[in-house]
Amino acid sequence: MSENKPDARSDTRMKTLAEEAGALRRLLEGLSKRLDDLAVQMEKAQLKDYVNLMSRPWQLIWRNWLSGIARGIGIALGFTFFAATIVWLLQILGALNLPIIGDYIAEIVKIVQRQLEIEHY
């Protein structure tokens, strides 16, 4: 009978070790999944490209210069379109001959047209 007790203890110990091994396996699988997710997120963030760009300052300067030129051209074209649309709308409103407002609008249109006719050097 004394031989049954060590067997019972060893069985419970084996079960406990098996449960701990299963828990560790699940923990490692969870960590592996989180590590894979982190690797995917870092790839999406393009950290490698950022570090490469920071290690080449002339490339960074060149890209910033080109983007500044593009922004400047975009702002100039956008403002030109906006101003032309406003002048066009003012001409239409001036042609309607609205009392009070029509006189002011006509005067603004004349001023703008005179400015456009002046040759700039």
Side-chain angles (χ1 to χ4, degrees), residues 32-51:
S32 177
K33 185 181 179 321
R34 289 185 71 184
L35 187 60
D36 289 341
D37 291 344
L38 182 62
V40 168
Q41 288 175 0
M42 287 179 69
E43 187 65 32
K44 284 181 184 177
Q46 297 177 347
L47 289 176
K48 181 181 78 168
D49 295 337
Y50 179 73
V51 169

Side-chain angles (χ1 to χ4, degrees), residues 31-99:
L31 287 175
S32 177
K33 185 181 179 321
R34 289 185 71 184
L35 187 60
D36 289 341
D37 291 344
L38 182 62
V40 168
Q41 288 175 0
M42 287 179 69
E43 187 65 32
K44 284 181 184 177
Q46 297 177 347
L47 289 176
K48 181 181 78 168
D49 295 337
Y50 179 73
V51 169
N52 285 338
L53 188 62
M54 288 296 122
S55 65
R56 298 184 199 150
W58 286 109
Q59 186 179 11
L60 181 63
I61 291 169
W62 174 250
R63 284 187 182 189
N64 283 334
W65 186 76
L66 284 178
S67 67
I69 296 280
R71 280 190 201 103
I73 291 171
I75 289 170
L77 290 175
F79 180 75
T80 301
F81 177 76
F82 177 74
T85 304
I86 295 297
V87 169
W88 178 70
L89 287 173
L90 288 175
Q91 284 179 338
I92 290 174
L93 288 175
L96 293 176
N97 240 352
L98 299 172

